[in-house]
Amino acid sequence: MRLLVLDTETTGLNAKGGDRIIEIGCVEIVNRQLTGNNLHFYVNPERDSNPGALAVHGLTTEFLSDKPKFADISSVLTDFVKNASIVIHNAPFDISFLDAEFAMLALPPFRNYCSDVIDTLIQAKAMFPGKRNSLDALCERFNISNAHRTQHGALLDAELLAAIYLAMTRGQENLVIDMLPDTPDTRSVARDHVPLAQFSLPVISASDDELSAHAGILDELIKTYKKPCVW
């Protein structure tokens, strides 16, 4: 499965009010592995950034003045996202800006080019109700270093979000075997396994500290979800 983690930087917060995209970053994930086949553009918005936005991203009008306009990179972007699942944190914000840019070029909305959109903010709120779920908060929660993030940047934030998404969804791939149809091919997976009896396998028991740490994690899960653990 091909995923693209996408982020944008903009001149302000209001796409309908004339704010524009100034940076786009896409990070590719295939089979839960970062491929390095990323897409990154700075974009000339043909207007100044609002002071508040400029303080966040630091991309000045002078720096952006010689960068391509959105019309110049639109076809590259649509080709890159074609049929991929797009992962965005607070998707309505970024998509509203992408749709506004496409509308100015008389092109269809962004969702017409990709397979679907996954909003990690919605996922995070479901996993951690009542807690802060900003990018920085999730980095802290999943022990992902963001010390180099002194200002927002589309590619940098997409890279951080890719790490967060993989951490949030870790373990889901183990459920795939349970969802496979009962066919000769899938039955052969179980039938043709390697017999473990031929090996002398060591048994490593958890230490007291590890058992205590595990119990602490279970207690935290019970407190968070207010349901008993099933393991």
Side-chain angles (χ1 to χ4, degrees):
M1 182 172 63
R2 182 172 183 255
L3 297 172
L4 292 176
V5 184
L6 182 148
D7 189 58
T8 64
E9 295 299 331
T10 63
T11 62
L13 300 177
N14 190 354
K16 292 183 178 180
D19 283 317
R20 303 286 301 275
I21 289 175
I22 59 173
E23 186 184 6
I24 301 172
C26 294
V27 172
E28 185 181 63
I29 301 174
V30 176
N31 296 328
R32 297 187 60 80
Q33 298 294 320
L34 298 173
T35 68
N37 179 31
N38 302 333
L39 185 73
H40 180 228
F41 285 112
Y42 291 111
V43 181
N44 180 357
E46 303 179 273
R47 60 157 292 172
D48 294 336
S49 290
N50 297 332
L54 181 60
V56 169
H57 55 66
L59 300 176
T60 64
T61 302
E62 180 181 8
F63 173 78
L64 297 169
S65 62
D66 62 348
K67 303 302 184 285
K69 298 178 176 63
F70 190 88
D72 300 324
I73 60 96
S74 61
S75 61
V76 179
L77 176 62
T78 54
D79 287 345
F80 191 73
V81 304
K82 186 177 180 180
N83 299 327
S85 294
I86 310 299
V87 179
I88 307 177
H89 200 66
N90 190 18
F93 178 85
D94 297 87
I95 289 179
S96 70
F97 276 89
L98 290 164
D99 285 350
E101 296 284 356
F102 284 134
M104 284 187 280
L105 300 175
L107 293 173
F110 177 75
R111 288 178 184 267
N112 286 44
Y113 301 99
C114 60
S115 174
D116 63 325
V117 175
I118 300 167
D119 192 334
T120 49
L121 180 58
I122 293 175
Q123 290 184 330
K125 287 181 176 179
M127 292 179 69
F128 310 108
K131 295 189 176 181
R132 294 186 305 113
N133 288 299
S134 65
L135 203 63
D136 286 333
L138 291 172
C139 283
E140 181 178 356
R141 194 165 297 144
F142 288 109
N143 295 316
I144 296 168
S145 175
N146 62 347
H148 53 304
R149 189 187 188 231
T150 56
Q151 287 185 306
H152 288 216
L155 185 61
L156 170 60
D157 288 0
E159 289 170 340
L160 291 173
L161 183 58
I164 289 169
Y165 176 79
L166 292 173
M168 287 175 64
T169 58
R170 186 173 294 131
Q172 289 185 3
E173 67 274 18
N174 296 331
L175 303 177
V176 172
I177 190 63
D178 296 331
M179 301 170 63
L180 293 174
D182 186 21
T183 67
D185 288 340
T186 56
R187 286 195 296 270
S188 69
V189 173
R191 184 180 66 246
D192 298 334
H193 70 280
V194 176
L196 297 181
Q198 63 181 299
F199 302 109
S200 177
L201 300 176
V203 177
I204 302 175
S205 300
S207 67
D208 290 341
D209 288 343
E210 290 169 334
L211 290 173
S212 177
H214 178 66
I217 291 173
L218 296 184
D219 288 342
E220 184 63 27
L221 288 172
I222 293 170
K223 291 177 183 177
T224 300
Y225 296 103
K226 297 181 173 59
K227 292 182 180 179
C229 290
V230 296
W231 68 88

